[in-house]
């Protein structure tokens, strides 16, 4: 069993920045692909970004966040980050991190069913 803990959400103005964190107390994230997903009220959970284990290192982004968000992994801190810049109101939602044990690629990373573990989510609200 893997426990994931997200943090870093909050209220930010349009154009601002936030950095979300995904940690796994007591376990190593180094063996997992880690994805960030978000869900707005009344909408489906949407894949935002994904990073493969360090031995692979590939990353993917949804078209809506490409160029604004950056996913990264700090192996020493056992943490995966999502840096969100130039935030828009459309970015508002609950952000979740998920861990996948199976191999992912550019066609599967954004499918929530590929992920075996999920955190509790952290709220991101972009509003003036």
């Amino acid at each position: 069993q893997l426990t994931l803990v997200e943090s870093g959400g909050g209220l930010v103005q349009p154009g601002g920045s936030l950095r979300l964190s995904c940690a796994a107390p007591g376990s190593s994230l180094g063996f997992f692909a880690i994805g960030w997903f978000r869900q707005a009220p009344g909408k489906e959970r949407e894949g935002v970004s994904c990073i493969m284990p360090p031995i692979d290192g590939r990353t993917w982004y949804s078209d809506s966040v490409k160029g604004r968000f950056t996913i990264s992994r700090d192996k020493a801190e056992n943490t995966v980050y999502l840096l969100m810049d130039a935030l828009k109101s459309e970015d508002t939602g609950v952000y979740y991190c998920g861990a996948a044990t199976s191999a992912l690629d550019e066609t599967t990373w954004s499918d929530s069913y590929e992920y075996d573990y999920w955190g509790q989510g952290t709220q991101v609200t972009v509003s003036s």
Side-chain angles (χ1 to χ4, degrees):
Q1 187 71 18
L2 181 68
T3 299
L4 300 177
V5 180
E6 302 103 330
S7 62
L11 175 64
V12 65
Q13 294 183 337
S17 300
L18 284 174
R19 189 179 72 163
L20 306 183
S21 300
C22 177
S27 300
S28 175
L29 290 178
F31 301 103
F32 299 91
I34 302 297
W36 283 100
F37 289 71
R38 66 188 181 190
Q39 188 165 24
K43 297 185 178 180
E44 295 183 350
R45 188 170 297 193
E46 171 193 20
V48 175
S49 185
C50 178
I51 186 167
M52 291 290 283
I55 193 171
D56 185 316
R58 287 176 292 170
T59 61
W60 298 283
Y61 299 90
S62 67
D63 290 340
S64 62
V65 309
K66 198 172 301 179
R68 299 188 297 120
F69 291 10
T70 304
I71 192 169
S72 63
R73 184 190 297 265
D74 189 324
K75 191 69 166 61
E77 295 293 332
N78 193 37
T79 302
V80 172
Y81 300 101
L82 183 69
L83 176 62
M84 306 183 295
D85 292 322
L87 283 162
K88 307 174 181 179
S89 60
E90 305 96 280
D91 296 316
T92 294
V94 179
Y95 282 68
Y96 302 88
C97 65
T101 57
S102 58
L104 303 177
D105 58 34
E106 62 276 4
T107 65
T108 60
W109 72 266
S110 58
D111 186 348
S112 63
Y113 290 107
E114 296 286 347
Y115 295 81
D116 304 291
Y117 306 97
W118 295 95
Q120 81 290 342
T122 184
Q123 176 71 44
V124 172
T125 302
V126 185
S127 177
S128 60

